[in-house]
Amino acid sequence: FEHGVLNGKRVFITAGPTREALDPVRYISNHSSGKMGYALAEAALDAGASVKLISGPVTLTPPARAECVAVESAEQMLAAALDGIDCCDLFIAAAAVADYRPVDVAEHKIKKGSEEIMELRLVKNPDIVATVAGLAEMRPYTIGFAAETRDVIDYARSKLARKGLDLIIANDVSNPDIGFNSDDNAVTLVSADAEVSLPQASKRRLARQLITQIAALYSRTDSS
Ligand code: C5P
């Protein structure tokens, strides 16, 4: 791991889950721990970058040297991601964004009714990383994650194209030893013309290897 490979670079990282409110006391969310995003923030700082960490609700302590923006919903995460994006060199989307949110957020606590079945209407959330990748001007080098259970590389490659990303980090979440909520991960970086596999390691160690690889791939495109 080389210190300084991201000297002078501005990096935005999304991390953790989002929470989509149903009413003042309830929400839809997921089990993302935020560990991978926070480890990447730490590694990017150690590599010399200035980091904005945009995080959904997690129990982790953010690195002291990062600028931290705490958000709850996907819409708030998108707004925080676009704020200052013109100064962003690399955008890393490690957050587990809820795909859908409730159509209506009740102003008051929803009361239990007499019906056995209760239906929720949901609407698709904005795709944050695809929005950033689709920016017409001042578009950062944009990196996403793909958690898959089978045909990992093929799905990652199609997600790379569909979202217009520069790089996608694929991990196989069918293996309980790695991925969601676990301390370890193993990934493959997939870009249009490169494929690099990093074997199972702690998220901290893997984050440092990832930042090294990301900096190398990014430097091939960076003209500044
Ligand atoms: O489509 P899928 O959720 O599998 O894509 C995962 C990648 O897209 C991750 O990098 C995640 O952070 C990002 N994403 C996003 N906004 C969404 C959904 C996913 O930025 N609404």
Side-chain angles (χ1 to χ4, degrees), residues 106-176:
E107 191 186 340
H108 296 288
K109 185 179 168 190
I110 299 167
K111 289 298 185 191
K112 184 160 46 195
S114 52
E115 301 84 9
E116 281 304 311
I117 305 284
M118 151 131 196
E119 285 183 356
L120 280 179
R121 272 165 57 81
L122 304 174
V123 58
K124 210 171 227 163
N125 264 328
D127 192 311
I128 297 163
V129 77
T131 304
V132 170
L135 290 173
E137 288 164 45
M138 309 294 280
R139 177 188 172 282
Y141 187 84
T142 310
I143 304 162
F145 276 77
E148 306 291 349
T149 55
R150 63 190 171 102
D151 302 327
V152 178
I153 304 301
D154 283 351
Y155 280 124
R157 211 169 264 297
S158 57
K159 201 167 284 187
L160 177 82
R162 180 160 40 82
K163 299 195 187 217
L165 309 178
D166 296 296
L167 179 66
I168 194 149
I169 301 163
N171 70 315
D172 183 349
V173 288
S174 68
N175 180 348

Side-chain angles (χ1 to χ4, degrees), residues 3-80:
H3 294 264
V5 287
L6 291 181
N7 264 347
K9 298 299 171 193
R10 179 90 172 127
V11 179
F12 286 12
I13 301 174
T14 68
T18 65
R19 269 183 194 174
E20 310 298 334
L22 274 161
D23 70 13
V25 298
R26 303 187 180 93
Y27 55 81
I28 295 173
S29 191
N30 61 68
H31 287 294
S32 167
S33 65
K35 281 175 195 161
M36 198 64 234
Y38 277 56
L40 282 165
E42 184 99 55
L45 286 161
D46 287 345
S50 85
V51 173
K52 176 157 101 171
L53 179 59
I54 304 159
S55 178
V58 297
T59 55
L60 305 171
T61 308
R65 294 161 295 154
E67 172 194 343
C68 269
V69 184
V71 298
E72 295 216 337
S73 68
E75 288 179 302
Q76 290 169 355
M77 188 173 273
L78 175 62

